[in-house]
């Protein structure tokens, strides 16, 4: 986060909003742990669902960054 913010490419408001999103996702992850998400069940499904989640996250991040840059924020 510091590296991205120090480049000046992303506007300060986008960094603030991203911080809120990160905090929300961290809270959701901790809630998932508290509600008993079974890590073994995730492991049993193999690497493909995790790869799909990683690819989706990267695509969403890149498209969001492109939208921000194209909008001139």
């Amino acid at each position: 986060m510091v590296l991205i913010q120090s480049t000046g490419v992303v506007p300060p408001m986008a960094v603030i909003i991203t911080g809120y999103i990160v905090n929300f996702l961290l809270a959701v992850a901790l809630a998932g742990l508290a509600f008993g998400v079974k890590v073994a069940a995730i492991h049993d499904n193999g690497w493909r669902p995790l790869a799909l989640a990683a690819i989706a996250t990267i695509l969403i991040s890149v498209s969001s960054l492109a939208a921000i840059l194209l909008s001139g924020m």
Side-chain angles (χ1 to χ4, degrees):
M1 197 70 154
V2 173
L3 179 67
I4 293 171
Q5 188 174 4
S6 66
T7 62
V9 175
V10 180
M13 184 54 111
V15 173
I16 292 169
I17 292 171
T18 303
Y20 287 126
I21 293 170
V22 166
N23 287 338
F24 172 75
L25 293 176
L26 180 60
V28 169
L30 290 174
L33 289 174
F35 289 129
V37 173
K38 306 264 188 277
V39 177
I42 295 172
H43 183 268
D44 290 342
N45 287 328
W47 62 272
R48 288 183 181 168
L50 294 177
L52 178 63
I55 291 169
T57 301
I58 291 168
L59 289 175
I60 291 169
S61 300
V62 169
S63 63
S64 297
L65 179 59
I68 290 169
L69 293 175
L70 290 174
S71 70
M73 290 180 77

